[in-house]
Amino acid sequence: MTSSLFDAFDAFPLILSLKVAALATVLALVAGIALGWLFARKPFPGSSVVESVFMLPLVLPPTVIGYAILVAAGRRSPLGKWVYEHFDYTIIFSWHGAVVASAVVALPLVLKSANAAFAGIDRSLEAAASTLGQSRWSVFVRVTLPLAWPGVLAGTLLAFARAMGEFGASLMVAGSIPNRTQTLSMAIYDATQAGQDDLALLLVVITSAISIAILVACNRYLSLR
Amino acid sequence: MTSSLFDAFDAFPLILSLKVAALATVLALVAGIALGWLFARKPFPGSSVVESVFMLPLVLPPTVIGYAILVAAGRRSPLGKWVYEHFDYTIIFSWHGAVVASAVVALPLVLKSANAAFAGIDRSLEAAASTLGQSRWSVFVRVTLPLAWPGVLAGTLLAFARAMGEFGASLMVAGSIPNRTQTLSMAIYDATQAGQDDLALLLVVITSAISIAILVACNRYLSLR
Amino acid sequence: MIDVDIELTVRDGARRFDLGVRFATEAPFAALYGPSGSGKSLTLQAIAGLLKPRAGHVRLDGRTLFDAARGIDLAPRERGVGYLFQHYALFPHLSVRQNIGFGLTTWRRRRLTPAQQARVDSLIERFGLSAMADSRPGVLSGGQQQRVALARALVREPSALLLDEPFAALNPMLRGALRRELAEVVRQARIPALMITHDIDDVLELADVAFVYQDGQVVRDVDLRKGESRDHARRALGDERPVESPMRQKLRHLLNDGPAAG
Amino acid sequence: MIDVDIELTVRDGARRFDLGVRFATEAPFAALYGPSGSGKSLTLQAIAGLLKPRAGHVRLDGRTLFDAARGIDLAPRERGVGYLFQHYALFPHLSVRQNIGFGLTTWRRRRLTPAQQARVDSLIERFGLSAMADSRPGVLSGGQQQRVALARALVREPSALLLDEPFAALNPMLRGALRRELAEVVRQARIPALMITHDIDDVLELADVAFVYQDGQVVRDVDLRKGESRDHARRALGDERPVESPMRQKLRHLLNDGPAAG
Amino acid sequence: QELTVSAAASLTNAFKEIGQQFEKNHPGTNVRLNFAASGTLLQQMAQGAPVDVFASADQATMDKAVAQKLIDTATRKDFATNSLVLIAPLQGGPAIGSLQDLSGAAVKRIAIGKTATVPVGNYTKEALESAKLWEPLQPKFIQADSVRQVLDYVSRGEVDAGFVYRTDAAVMQDKVKIVLTAGGHTPVSYPVAQLAESKHKALAGSFVDFLLSVPGQEILGRYGFGKP
Ligand SMILES: Nc1ncnc2c1ncn2[C@@H]1O[C@H](COP(=O)(O)OP(=O)(O)OP(=O)(O)O)[C@@H](O)[C@H]1O
Ligand SMILES: Nc1ncnc2c1ncn2[C@@H]1O[C@H](COP(=O)(O)OP(=O)(O)OP(=O)(O)O)[C@@H](O)[C@H]1O
Ligand code: MOO
Ligand SMILES: [Mg+2]
Ligand SMILES: [Mg+2]
């Protein structure tokens, strides 16, 4: 790789990718924990069908997911129209769109892992905590979640990796606008499409190295053991 | 949806998709369990880095993964060349390529979930089984795996969903050859790109319904509880 | 002080177990005694609010914790009882110290006040857990785990104590010491205690009254204080069982105290 | 029959525990007795092959299971011992029947032969588990779980029995019955048994010899058969401890057998 | 001021330079370039994406945009042309000198753009149809999802030949060779237009003007595009 190649490399997509992936992971984590808990602990008739519906972002091509988000939140949708008229804001072509798209695509990973983890917990530990005067929320935060954490963490790391790699849905919603909404994955895609193989390789190496570093660090510092 | 639309619908991609997803899931399951167990039970220096490397298929855009498989197994690669010369076979442009691509992309989902599940098992149960005269393999099959099953199953269902949805990497390796290697996701993608919204919607509905049915059934019959 | 009258059924496939117990006592320390599977643990769970009876009531020191007829059913955390679980139910992700202090803090306020800290430390000390205060329960011996569970149940100054075989994993010497600790706690705090035990000596040493279980019912109650006065019964029963032979006593001594002299 | 000489250290953070025990006996039934945390369970784990000692050896009936000097270290499954874990270690995903039959089958051959089936059924019967044979361990009472663990350890006709507090969760009546079962099993199979217990009566009823633990060492051994013959010691020790008072006996009776007459 | 330009993926390299040049010429202007497959761009605009200028790789997509009333039709202009070429791996592979050689037994696989979705596929179809080769060659076709994929297959020797634009072949000169320029298809021309809902009509107009200007055409030419 020549030094001109390094010149061609631009830190923006990297920073944007990390920002988007981090936010999307947080959103997926919160929603995934809540829904995973719900489906594990408060099943209702048909809840396994509803749970499977949340898996669809994995089943359908990302473009379809992106298109669905466009239809649901774009300027032509009632929601998007209202927001646009009142706040002069649209999620299309904004990096927020990439966050939403990545979160939707990453959600099933957290949800399913959290669900399995919550279902496997020894309920008598929760009972013990409740006899020790803890509120439901306190029991959840201090006992349930820590005990389920290995599974939830696994799902979260998967979600982060997926969010880093997401580009089909984001491309649709946020566009691939250099210095605005172009993430690393989009930049890689662009580089391959433009025949800039060296740049593509460089970007792949950077993305891989940084993702591995983050995953290893999270594994080490978030595993609580 | 008109009846002509139904005429336009063709069962081939559906059947191929199910076949590809099922085989890919089995491959990912076997490899994911083996690797997940290895990383949980026989950690070596740097094993968490190696584990994270297996997450890359999630981090990198599917096209890149597809390209990597092409490079590794294509006719110009030593492996591909050897196989081609001796068996007159190449994985490129065959649906086997889609299986390999989908399995690679689905692997991290099983691996990570299985890893967390294995790490969470009460080791004294394995010890008990070994004092009851069971070989290591017997302990694994009769105690370790059943206890880890909820987590492994969650990962497997994620893998199946992902394999159903995979098209970027498969497209590259298998091509999207109608009636040969075109899966449902590829067909959906094609339809959306060609602006055939009705067909795309029909295909999305079919894919979703079938995937949900399979996921719900697996959840019910494979959960062992 | 304790007034329990509950009916409940647990099911597991085709098998079902019906619990229908009723007992009440003013005595501060009551024991539940009876065969394996007779419903003792289920009774404590119902009192703690972890199982909901079909009918009946649970009252402690005049407070109604549960009353099916009046629609009262306090949540476990509102019942303020200290519960030692038969299988300890120690939090595997917390250290011994954190397990013991758990009930004094909440998700919001996780630091102990100096007074609470002192209380935790004194329990750790009294139960001989100082050396392993920072260990996780998983690496403790059975008896050490049981003592952690006992300390954890006592730490909140509960309004009643429910103890499911608190000394089962302890050897006689420690058992004696902990019996004295427990008797002291109950006396000082003036709280009612309900203890399941299989050890008659536990009953004899600690309890004022014992309720004898059989197949989900209380079949008999034994007043252990009154017994003392009924001197004629003493002699009447005296020869029904052989007094402990000196041989046995000697062996008992050998096991507990040191080599036998000659 | 049993010859144990092991040294090992377990660590947990800054805390460490050193076990250095040596004992040997020709007696068929030996008891390990001693305070909580003195290393009894660790000893059984080392004998079963679940912990690897730093030095020493383990021999059972002339078979060498472990010998650090000669580099012998049989895998747990090759040692052929029946081990009842202190916390039972029952398989939560299997029914009582499957737990008990577990050791008779392998991953390849999961069906029991009729003879094995009969053996499992008879253990279920003898240990009073018939009603709950198809339940999972999670819904059993403490004593029921302990009996499942005992039956599971006995089912394979092991070449030795390691029992970590086999009766702790059982009430005295059941305990007596199971003691007799166990004594019968050990006598019939002519296998050595090593039992940890906190109950002196267990020791007195079952054991031929007891090794007394203290801080990771065997500090004393008590020969329970010889004791019988030393008649003078009997009298010498006779008054050191009060004989059980008739009062206590009466209460004992009340708790166990029925309402006191008179 | 911000100008959003949605451009077909095959225009990426040229438009990046044009965008920079345009910003230089219009200080205070910020050109946001959005690249994707033409179909994706159309879907975005149909859902109200705030786009000012749309540059498509084919007339069909632009026609669809017109049909959906997204476009200010008066502003539609062709700004570049391209040509369809037959490429083969630089090394190895059967000798190919003409379109007819493709029917030879030595040629086993031919990569083309997907006719339904990739513009280049349509041109290929037209070219082969006029050479009466479309039907006979059917069994040999591998329909790739993008021009880039055709290039990859050819460059890695997975196929014996492929059809791409001249501009694409140019970026892989070290791995593929241009066998011939195919004729017999409608001219490959790239249309550009302003969006009906554009908020920066004047600026959008100057961008289109710049594309057609001499400096604009010079840049496009450097990337292999022909004059309209
Ligand atoms: N969750 C449950 N589901 C079904 N049956 C249960 C459940 N919990 C307990 N049982 C059954 O109820 C009966 C009473 O159980 P309980 O635990 O109260 O016994 P116990 O008196 O405490 O016995 P032990 O002294 O052996 O602990 C037992 O037969 C047990 O198998
Ligand atoms: N895995 C371990 N890691 C560290 N320390 C341990 C581990 N297992 C046991 N110990 C410590 O070793 C000591 C001996 O434990 P062991 O379980 O042998 O005691 P024990 O004699 O069986 O006691 P009890 O009668 O209470 O069961 C204890 O202090 C215990 O905390
Ligand atoms: O530039 Mo295109 O629309 O990907 O052929
Ligand atoms: Mg109980
Ligand atoms: Mg022990």
Side-chain angles (χ1 to χ4, degrees):
Chain A
M1 281 170 234
T2 60
S3 80
S4 71
L5 185 59
F6 277 99
D7 295 345
F9 173 72
D10 165 11
F12 180 86
L14 171 60
I15 293 167
L16 180 64
S17 274
L18 291 176
K19 191 161 71 172
V20 167
L23 286 174
T25 306
V26 169
L27 287 183
L29 181 62
V30 172
I33 287 179
L35 291 166
W37 184 86
L38 195 76
F39 293 128
R41 291 297 163 74
K42 309 276 173 198
F44 48 89
S47 64
S48 74
V49 174
V50 177
E51 197 193 332
S52 297
V53 169
F54 280 98
M55 300 275 274
L56 288 184
L58 227 46
V59 172
L60 297 172
T63 356
V64 172
I65 306 300
Y67 188 69
I69 296 175
L70 269 189
V71 170
R75 269 204 283 173
R76 297 281 144 86
S77 72
L79 171 70
K81 194 168 183 162
W82 186 85
V83 172
Y84 186 71
E85 278 165 8
H86 287 74
F87 303 100
D88 192 25
Y89 170 88
T90 175
I91 200 164
I92 305 186
F93 289 170
S94 116
W95 64 272
H96 304 151
V99 173
V100 171
S102 302
V104 167
V105 170
L107 174 62
L109 302 172
V110 186
L111 198 169
K112 198 78 195 152
S113 306
N115 180 258
F118 286 133
I121 287 180
D122 180 354
R123 305 293 302 264
S124 71
L125 296 174
E126 295 177 329
S130 71
T131 66
L132 287 164
Q134 306 294 312
S135 65
R136 279 155 176 257
W137 177 245
S138 196
V139 171
F140 179 77
V141 172
R142 301 184 72 193
V143 177
T144 314
L145 195 53
L147 292 176
W149 188 243
V152 175
L153 178 61
T156 306
L157 295 183
L158 288 173
F160 174 78
R162 183 77 185 82
M164 280 297 286
E166 158 55 30
F167 93 106
S170 304
L171 184 68
M172 201 77 181
V173 181
S176 170
I177 306 173
N179 289 317
R180 287 290 291 281
T181 62
Q182 192 180 55
T183 62
L184 261 184
S185 315
M186 293 180 197
I188 293 175
Y189 184 75
D190 268 18
T192 59
Q193 291 299 310
Q196 300 170 303
D197 283 357
D198 283 1
L199 179 60
L201 185 62
L202 175 67
L203 291 174
V204 164
V205 169
I206 291 172
T207 310
S208 304
I210 289 180
S211 301
I212 290 176
I214 292 176
L215 292 173
V216 169
C218 288
N219 243 336
R220 190 155 306 163
Y221 297 109
L222 298 181
S223 64
L224 301 180
R225 307 240 145 171
Chain B
M1 279 172 237
T2 60
S3 79
S4 72
L5 186 58
F6 277 100
D7 295 344
F9 173 72
D10 165 11
F12 180 86
L14 170 60
I15 293 167
L16 180 64
S17 275
L18 292 175
K19 192 161 70 174
V20 168
L23 287 174
T25 306
V26 170
L27 286 184
L29 181 61
V30 172
I33 287 178
L35 291 167
W37 183 87
L38 194 76
F39 293 129
R41 291 297 163 76
K42 310 275 172 198
F44 47 90
S47 64
S48 74
V49 174
V50 178
E51 197 193 333
S52 298
V53 169
F54 281 98
M55 300 276 274
L56 287 184
L58 227 47
V59 172
L60 297 171
T63 355
V64 173
I65 306 300
Y67 188 72
I69 297 177
L70 202 62
V71 171
R75 268 205 273 175
R76 288 278 159 94
S77 73
L79 171 70
K81 194 169 183 162
W82 187 86
V83 171
Y84 186 72
E85 278 164 10
H86 287 73
F87 303 100
D88 193 25
Y89 170 87
T90 174
I91 201 166
I92 313 299
F93 304 141
S94 106
W95 64 272
H96 303 154
V99 173
V100 171
S102 302
V104 167
V105 170
L107 173 62
L109 302 171
V110 186
L111 200 170
K112 199 79 195 148
S113 306
N115 181 257
F118 287 132
I121 287 181
D122 180 354
R123 303 293 301 266
S124 70
L125 296 174
E126 296 177 329
S130 70
T131 67
L132 287 164
Q134 307 294 312
S135 66
R136 279 155 177 257
W137 177 245
S138 196
V139 172
F140 180 77
V141 172
R142 302 182 70 191
V143 177
T144 314
L145 195 53
L147 291 176
W149 188 242
V152 175
L153 178 62
T156 306
L157 295 183
L158 288 173
F160 175 78
R162 183 78 186 81
M164 280 297 286
E166 158 55 29
F167 83 97
S170 306
L171 191 66
M172 197 79 181
V173 181
S176 169
I177 308 173
N179 289 318
R180 284 274 296 285
T181 62
Q182 192 182 50
T183 62
L184 260 186
S185 316
M186 293 181 197
I188 293 175
Y189 182 74
D190 276 7
T192 58
Q193 292 300 308
Q196 298 171 302
D197 285 355
D198 282 3
L199 180 59
L201 185 62
L202 175 67
L203 292 174
V204 164
V205 169
I206 290 172
T207 310
S208 305
I210 290 179
S211 301
I212 290 176
I214 292 176
L215 292 172
V216 169
C218 288
N219 242 337
R220 190 156 306 162
Y221 297 108
L222 299 181
S223 65
L224 301 180
R225 306 243 143 171
Chain C
M1 278 179 143
I2 301 179
D3 176 3
V4 173
D5 176 0
I6 50 179
E7 269 176 44
L8 64 81
T9 302
V10 287
R11 258 172 252 273
D12 166 48
R15 195 166 68 96
R16 61 181 276 171
F17 179 82
D18 295 295
L19 183 74
V21 293
R22 178 193 303 223
F23 59 82
T25 176
E26 286 299 315
F29 210 118
L32 306 186
Y33 185 85
S36 171
S38 58
K40 306 180 295 295
S41 294
L42 291 179
T43 304
L44 290 202
Q45 283 171 44
I47 295 173
L50 302 175
L51 266 182
K52 189 171 170 172
R54 185 173 52 237
H57 63 255
V58 176
R59 296 198 188 96
L60 272 182
D61 274 334
R63 278 204 313 151
T64 298
L65 306 183
F66 175 80
D67 195 322
R70 286 159 58 197
I72 298 175
D73 184 12
L74 295 191
R77 72 189 161 93
E78 296 163 333
R79 299 198 177 194
V81 300
Y83 188 173
L84 177 135
F85 287 71
Q86 184 164 14
H87 298 302
Y88 319 149
L90 296 177
F91 303 122
H93 59 299
L94 301 179
S95 69
V96 164
R97 185 188 304 282
Q98 288 167 326
N99 262 281
I100 295 176
F102 189 87
L104 296 175
T105 51
T106 65
W107 68 277
R108 205 190 268 282
R109 199 180 46 74
R110 298 214 186 177
R111 284 187 65 84
L112 296 170
T113 65
Q116 290 172 329
Q117 187 66 58
R119 179 158 176 79
V120 170
D121 285 339
S122 95
L123 280 165
I124 288 175
E125 173 82 18
R126 273 152 71 193
F127 289 176
L129 296 166
S130 308
M132 56 222 74
D134 296 317
S135 297
R136 297 264 172 96
V139 296
L140 299 188
S141 80
Q144 289 163 351
Q145 290 181 27
Q146 193 161 48
R147 283 175 277 156
V148 177
L150 188 55
R152 189 180 67 174
L154 292 174
V155 82
R156 290 180 69 223
E157 320 203 8
S159 60
L161 270 181
L162 306 175
L163 306 168
D164 201 340
E165 310 203 17
F167 309 125
L170 303 176
N171 74 321
M173 281 159 297
L174 203 52
R175 200 182 271 245
L178 284 181
R179 268 189 210 131
R180 285 187 289 278
E181 288 286 353
L182 188 59
E184 185 63 17
V185 167
V186 170
R187 201 186 51 74
Q188 277 186 356
R190 305 172 153 279
I191 55 173
L194 208 52
M195 172 181 71
I196 298 176
T197 182
H198 288 311
D199 190 298
I200 295 185
D201 291 326
D202 284 348
V203 179
L204 298 177
E205 296 283 342
L206 286 170
D208 303 303
V209 58
F211 300 104
V212 180
Y213 271 63
Q214 189 86 54
D215 296 332
Q217 300 193 306
V218 172
V219 292
R220 195 158 69 249
D221 53 356
V222 178
D223 189 325
L224 295 137
R225 290 167 304 185
K226 266 201 227 137
E228 195 85 326
S229 64
R230 285 203 258 153
D231 209 42
H232 64 282
R234 181 181 181 176
R235 244 163 294 134
L237 288 160
D239 53 344
E240 237 189 38
R241 293 209 148 196
V243 296
E244 182 154 64
S245 74
M247 175 58 213
R248 281 179 86 97
Q249 284 177 46
K250 182 196 128 192
L251 290 168
R252 210 183 265 279
H253 171 72
L254 277 169
L255 285 168
N256 282 336
D257 305 320
Chain D
M1 278 180 145
I2 300 178
D3 175 3
V4 174
D5 176 0
I6 50 179
E7 268 176 44
L8 63 81
T9 301
V10 287
R11 259 171 250 273
D12 166 48
R15 194 166 70 95
R16 60 181 278 171
F17 179 82
D18 294 295
L19 183 74
V21 294
R22 178 194 301 222
F23 59 83
T25 176
E26 285 300 314
F29 209 119
L32 305 187
Y33 184 85
S36 170
S38 56
K40 307 180 294 297
S41 295
L42 291 179
T43 304
L44 289 201
Q45 284 171 42
I47 296 174
L50 302 175
L51 265 182
K52 189 172 171 172
R54 185 174 51 236
H57 62 256
V58 176
R59 296 200 187 95
L60 273 182
D61 274 335
R63 276 206 312 152
T64 299
L65 305 183
F66 175 80
D67 194 322
R70 287 160 58 198
I72 298 174
D73 185 11
L74 296 191
R77 71 189 162 96
E78 297 163 332
R79 300 198 176 194
V81 300
Y83 187 173
L84 177 135
F85 287 70
Q86 184 164 16
H87 298 301
Y88 319 148
L90 297 177
F91 304 121
H93 59 298
L94 301 178
S95 70
V96 165
R97 185 188 303 282
Q98 289 167 328
N99 263 281
I100 295 174
F102 189 87
L104 297 175
T105 51
T106 66
W107 67 277
R108 204 190 269 280
R109 199 180 46 72
R110 299 214 186 178
R111 285 186 65 85
L112 295 169
T113 65
Q116 291 172 330
Q117 187 66 58
R119 179 158 177 80
V120 170
D121 285 340
S122 95
L123 280 165
I124 289 175
E125 173 82 18
R126 274 150 72 192
F127 289 175
L129 297 167
S130 308
M132 56 222 74
D134 297 317
S135 297
R136 296 264 173 96
V139 296
L140 299 188
S141 80
Q144 288 162 352
Q145 291 181 26
Q146 193 161 47
R147 281 174 278 156
V148 176
L150 188 54
R152 190 180 68 174
L154 292 174
V155 82
R156 289 181 70 224
E157 319 203 9
S159 60
L161 270 180
L162 306 176
L163 306 168
D164 202 340
E165 310 203 15
F167 310 124
L170 302 176
N171 74 323
M173 280 159 299
L174 204 52
R175 201 181 271 247
L178 284 181
R179 267 189 211 131
R180 284 187 290 280
E181 288 285 353
L182 188 61
E184 184 64 17
V185 166
V186 169
R187 201 187 50 75
Q188 277 186 356
R190 303 171 153 279
I191 55 173
L194 208 52
M195 172 181 71
I196 297 176
T197 182
H198 288 311
D199 191 298
I200 295 184
D201 290 326
D202 285 347
V203 179
L204 297 177
E205 295 282 341
L206 285 170
D208 305 303
V209 57
F211 300 104
V212 180
Y213 270 63
Q214 189 87 51
D215 297 331
Q217 300 193 305
V218 173
V219 292
R220 196 158 67 245
D221 53 356
V222 179
D223 189 326
L224 295 137
R225 290 167 305 183
K226 268 201 225 135
E228 193 87 331
S229 63
R230 282 202 256 153
D231 211 41
H232 64 282
R234 181 182 181 175
R235 244 164 291 134
L237 288 161
D239 53 345
E240 237 189 38
R241 294 206 149 198
V243 297
E244 182 154 65
S245 74
M247 176 59 213
R248 281 178 85 97
Q249 285 179 44
K250 182 197 130 193
L251 290 168
R252 211 181 264 279
H253 172 72
L254 275 169
L255 284 167
N256 282 335
D257 305 319
Chain E
Q1 260 186 320
E2 273 200 338
L3 186 74
T4 305
V5 178
S6 275
S10 49
L11 296 167
T12 304
N13 294 341
F15 265 51
K16 273 190 182 155
E17 199 175 330
I18 286 171
Q20 278 168 8
Q21 201 58 51
F22 184 78
E23 281 178 358
K24 231 177 257 167
N25 296 351
H26 297 78
T29 313
N30 192 358
V31 179
R32 301 200 301 173
L33 291 165
N34 176 43
F35 299 109
S38 305
T40 301
L41 298 177
L42 181 65
Q43 282 168 334
Q44 288 172 335
M45 291 184 295
Q47 294 305 320
V51 176
D52 300 304
V53 176
F54 174 44
S56 167
D58 66 336
Q59 302 295 338
T61 308
M62 188 60 87
D63 292 344
K64 283 183 203 158
V66 169
Q68 295 185 29
K69 300 198 168 38
L70 299 169
I71 296 298
D72 182 350
T73 15
T75 61
R76 175 171 175 171
K77 295 186 180 81
D78 290 347
F79 68 93
T81 57
N82 212 338
S83 45
L84 184 69
V85 296
L86 174 64
I87 56 169
L90 202 56
Q91 287 150 6
I96 303 171
S98 68
L99 287 185
Q100 263 59 39
D101 290 349
L102 295 177
S103 3
V107 178
K108 297 216 169 63
R109 285 179 176 139
I110 305 162
I112 62 171
K114 212 161 235 179
T115 49
T117 57
V118 189
V120 73
N122 261 321
Y123 297 121
T124 306
K125 186 176 177 191
E126 285 175 16
L128 289 175
E129 268 172 350
S130 51
K132 304 255 179 307
L133 286 169
W134 178 250
E135 279 306 323
L137 290 180
Q138 274 291 350
K140 298 184 178 180
F141 290 145
I142 298 294
Q143 299 209 6
D145 192 55
S146 67
V147 168
R148 175 64 195 187
Q149 220 176 334
V150 176
L151 268 174
D152 277 333
Y153 288 151
V154 175
S155 71
R156 301 205 55 81
E158 298 297 347
V159 297
D160 304 310
F163 287 90
V164 297
Y165 296 129
R166 179 173 297 282
T167 49
D168 300 306
V171 305
M172 272 233 184
Q173 278 161 341
D174 53 337
K175 289 194 186 125
V176 304
K177 59 182 179 225
I178 296 179
V179 175
L180 55 82
T181 304
H185 56 83
T186 45
V188 184
S189 58
Y190 290 64
V192 66
Q194 295 179 32
L195 272 280
E197 282 187 8
S198 168
K199 283 185 175 168
H200 310 100
K201 290 238 158 80
L203 200 58
S206 16
F207 186 85
V208 174
D209 289 345
F210 180 68
L211 273 183
L212 292 161
S213 72
V214 175
Q217 288 295 312
E218 196 262 325
I219 296 174
L220 284 166
R222 235 184 308 123
Y223 287 94
F225 292 99
K227 292 198 178 359

